[in-house]
Amino acid sequence: MSVAIRPAVAEAPWVRRFVIGAAVLSLALLLLLPLLAVFTEALRRGLAPALAAIVEPDALAAVRLTLLVAAIAVPVNTLGGIAAAWAISKFDFPGRRVLVTLIELPFSVSPVISGLVWVLLFGSQGWFGPWLEARDVRIVFALPGLVLATLFVTFPFVARTLLPLMQEQGRAEEEAAATLGASGLQTFRHVTLPNIKWALLAGVLLCNARAMGEFGAVAVVSGHIRGETNTMPLHVEILYNEYQFVGAFAVAALLALLALVTLLAKGALEWLTGRRQGVETP
Amino acid sequence: MSTAGIAGLSPAAVPAGRRRAWPRSALPGLRPTLGLTLLWLSLLVLLPLTGLLLRPWEIGLDGVWRVVTEPRALAALRLSFGAAILAALIDLPLGLLVAWALVRYRFPGRRLLDAMVDLPFALPTAVAGLALVALYAPNGWLGAPLSAIGVQVAYSRAGVVMALIFVGLPFVVRTLEPVLLDLPGEAEEAAATLGATRLQTLRHVVLPAVAPALLTGFSLAFARAVGEYGSVIFIAGNTPMVSEIAPLVIVTRLEQYDYAGAAAIGLTMLACSFLLLLLLNLFGRRLRPRTA
């Protein structure tokens, strides 16, 4: 391994040590220290107050709401992502590149704008606002708005993880199955799915992490009604603004744990498949 | 690409004249999956974005102009774009350093370091914001020594840049890693054989090869940073005209039920950042090596 990667020309040992040291130090300062700060602040007065802040009714309501929103948004975007990846990778039709660009569009939209667009549609002065109000249907400042905003920000994750892999894998196996008389769904279940299952899992994990951790987009559509439309990240903000620092950092630590578990699972999947699972590079 | 009769044959084996642009695939399922994709995309992305595109003009062109050029909005836009560009620029050498160490050297803890790079992707932005405040507040771990030497990071523009460096760094590292990995060692060896010093080799052989990736990394870090909200608002202090970012101005306008004004600033942000990304993309094409 090292023979293949290390070029014959290399830096002097002291340069090498300096570069490694500088890289480790900057990542420790920039990334690790903030993470440590969250846990330290959460446990500043010991474990009991931190746990109390998490099992308090408003916090529990926030946890439940976060889970509910993710439970709706993640499957929808998973289904859409699979359909899009199948259509784009297994068929040739004009406009495929445009379609990919449009699917990735939400990644380059500010979270606040991702919430704003739904308020423009369904808010009290939105296009459909008065119509909905007359029928007593609430979308903004209620669960549907939170779900829609989350759907928008997590839209590309699954498609983005599946597409490069499915394009690389080609169509030969699926075509063989179809020639042998398998239906579309059978082909997908028995041929495609086993090939993409780990990438799919990685995409779903990343999608879920973003869905549960999203702040800006849901902040715009939530209305911040405690115990009703507050997701966990929003609950963190409210506690912080009320100077309940231990509580804010305790809930934040719970979210940080979710991030760590996601990273760990993603790392395990990479190790399992020998392939980087990511949505970061276009 | 291949027709039903010769399923499994690689596309290259099919005579060019028989290939068709429109699908003649052996596979079923184009219509339902493409239909589902278009429905999903239209309802969840295109329809809401249409609102953003159309609503600002309710107050007319001069209305939009007034909203966007109002001093507070202008200051916020300038801060969002300026801080995002500055943070992405700082991310470049940092990201290059980290990517170089991760790809070129083997050392204990390398895999852990590699996994850590993704932290800003996975960490919810509100948590990142809170963490940065805890660190850089005047009594924080880093804030206390910094304020002792007269540097204030929290509740200032420096805090905004700090948060944006945090969210942008993985984009640069992850874009550079595969490029550094694929860099042919032979080119560097040849340069060394021809008498170039290591530094000359890095400057004339390695740097031009990674330049397009640096530009892509910059674009991605910038695109993420310019609209960033959660990790910024805690540490910024949000003083109007000083440390207030554009997304916050949108939120404030919405809270006052000024939908058109909020949409106008949102559309301006999107338009400006797309324009900048387009220019970077065009510039990137000129950077790419001319030989295939």
Side-chain angles (χ1 to χ4, degrees):
Chain A
M1 185 76 176
S2 63
V3 179
I5 286 167
R6 190 193 303 165
V9 263
E11 290 75 44
W14 70 270
V15 175
R16 174 180 300 232
R17 271 197 293 275
F18 175 78
V19 170
I20 294 173
V24 171
L25 188 72
S26 47
L27 282 192
L29 271 178
L30 271 173
L31 307 183
L32 198 60
L33 216 52
L35 193 65
L36 286 179
V38 172
F39 289 106
T40 315
E41 291 291 328
L43 299 174
R44 182 163 285 258
R45 303 227 174 82
L47 192 60
L51 285 179
I54 291 173
V55 295
E56 171 256 344
D58 282 346
L60 279 183
V63 173
R64 264 196 301 272
L65 184 62
T66 297
L67 292 175
L68 179 63
V69 168
I72 303 171
V74 175
V76 171
N77 278 343
T78 302
L79 194 70
I82 293 174
W86 174 272
I88 294 169
S89 68
K90 304 296 175 196
F91 300 93
D92 299 299
F93 51 90
R96 281 190 308 166
R97 287 179 60 110
V98 179
L99 197 56
V100 173
T101 309
L102 287 176
I103 288 173
E104 286 172 4
L105 193 59
F107 271 160
S108 33
V109 174
S110 166
V112 165
I113 297 178
S114 310
L116 166 71
V117 290
W118 297 109
V119 179
L120 295 179
L121 286 185
F122 301 122
S124 61
Q125 288 161 48
W127 277 343
F128 307 110
W131 188 88
L132 290 166
E133 238 160 62
R135 278 150 195 83
D136 211 24
V137 180
R138 292 200 74 116
I139 291 187
V140 167
F141 302 156
L143 178 68
L146 295 171
V147 172
L148 288 172
T150 307
L151 277 168
F152 189 97
V153 291
T154 59
F155 190 85
F157 279 88
V158 174
R160 183 64 252 165
T161 346
L162 287 183
L163 249 178
L165 179 69
M166 286 173 73
Q167 273 170 338
E168 193 184 297
Q169 284 174 348
R171 307 162 189 180
E173 289 183 37
E174 282 84 2
E175 281 166 351
T179 317
L180 293 171
S183 74
L185 274 179
Q186 282 175 323
T187 308
F188 177 77
R189 256 192 57 202
H190 299 290
V191 179
T192 311
L193 197 56
N195 281 336
I196 62 165
K197 60 184 175 205
W198 299 122
L200 180 62
L201 189 59
V204 171
L205 276 172
L206 292 168
C207 182
N208 180 63
R210 180 68 194 264
M212 290 188 172
E214 178 52 30
F215 178 73
V218 289
V220 172
V221 295
S222 140
H224 304 279
I225 310 164
R226 277 184 95 130
E228 272 183 54
T229 62
N230 251 351
T231 61
M232 282 167 77
L234 298 174
H235 192 61
V236 169
E237 186 201 16
I238 286 198
L239 290 177
Y240 184 80
N241 287 341
E242 290 173 350
Y243 302 102
Q244 301 187 39
F245 295 128
V246 168
F249 280 98
V251 180
L254 199 59
L255 283 168
L257 278 179
L258 167 77
L260 287 179
V261 169
T262 305
L263 283 186
L264 213 66
K266 181 170 165 276
L269 284 174
E270 274 163 19
W271 179 79
L272 210 66
T273 56
R275 180 191 168 92
R276 168 125 20 233
Q277 312 282 5
V279 290
E280 51 270 11
T281 46
Chain B
M1 204 166 282
S2 49
T3 50
I6 45 172
L9 221 60
S10 75
V14 181
R18 285 178 55 194
R19 282 209 227 155
R20 299 189 181 194
W22 193 251
R24 279 213 37 185
S25 177
L27 295 175
L30 173 64
R31 246 183 258 184
T33 53
L34 187 59
L36 193 66
T37 304
L38 291 177
L39 184 74
W40 174 63
L41 183 69
S42 312
L43 287 181
L44 292 180
V45 175
L46 300 183
L47 172 71
L49 281 178
T50 315
L52 184 72
L53 224 53
L54 298 181
R55 295 275 325 231
W57 312 112
E58 286 167 8
I59 49 175
L61 192 61
D62 53 326
V64 171
W65 182 252
R66 235 190 343 259
V67 167
V68 174
T69 55
E70 179 236 351
R72 194 170 155 185
L74 210 55
L77 284 167
R78 216 178 287 149
L79 175 64
S80 274
F81 280 84
I85 290 172
L86 184 60
L89 281 176
I90 296 173
D91 277 331
L92 285 184
L94 268 177
L96 185 58
L97 181 82
V98 172
W100 186 272
L102 287 176
V103 170
R104 286 297 176 100
Y105 306 143
R106 293 291 171 271
F107 53 94
R110 191 186 65 92
R111 290 192 64 100
L112 190 71
L113 206 65
D114 190 37
M116 233 167 71
V117 171
D118 280 330
L119 190 69
F121 283 141
L123 199 66
T125 55
V127 180
L130 226 57
L132 292 172
V133 159
L135 274 186
Y136 291 101
N139 58 351
W141 292 348
L142 296 176
L146 280 174
S147 65
I149 56 167
V151 181
Q152 199 195 352
V153 176
Y155 318 124
S156 73
R157 287 178 182 165
V160 177
V161 176
M162 203 62 224
L164 297 183
I165 291 174
F166 176 86
V167 298
L169 184 63
F171 290 94
V172 178
V173 178
R174 292 302 184 226
T175 318
L176 284 173
E177 271 183 321
V179 178
L180 283 177
L181 205 61
D182 287 344
L183 214 60
E186 291 88 343
E188 285 169 63
E189 280 167 32
T193 319
L194 292 171
T197 66
R198 188 69 190 137
L199 218 58
Q200 283 175 319
T201 309
L202 288 180
R203 159 130 174 52
H204 296 289
V205 177
V206 176
L207 204 59
V210 298
L214 278 172
L215 197 72
T216 308
F218 175 86
S219 301
L220 290 170
F222 163 79
R224 170 69 202 264
V226 73
E228 182 57 27
Y229 181 68
S231 57
V232 175
I233 54 155
F234 291 97
I235 197 175
N238 308 323
T239 318
M241 305 297 294
V242 179
S243 60
E244 189 181 44
I245 52 168
L248 188 62
V249 174
I250 296 178
V251 171
T252 312
R253 290 238 170 215
L254 264 187
E255 277 166 2
Q256 296 159 351
Y257 292 95
D258 178 9
Y259 284 18
I265 295 173
L267 188 59
T268 307
M269 273 186 77
L270 263 192
C272 288
S273 73
F274 281 154
L275 197 68
L276 194 66
L277 291 172
L278 186 74
L279 288 176
L280 286 171
N281 191 5
L282 290 176
F283 181 60
R285 284 191 194 169
R286 292 184 49 193
L287 266 186
R288 293 200 192 273
R290 273 158 288 276
T291 48

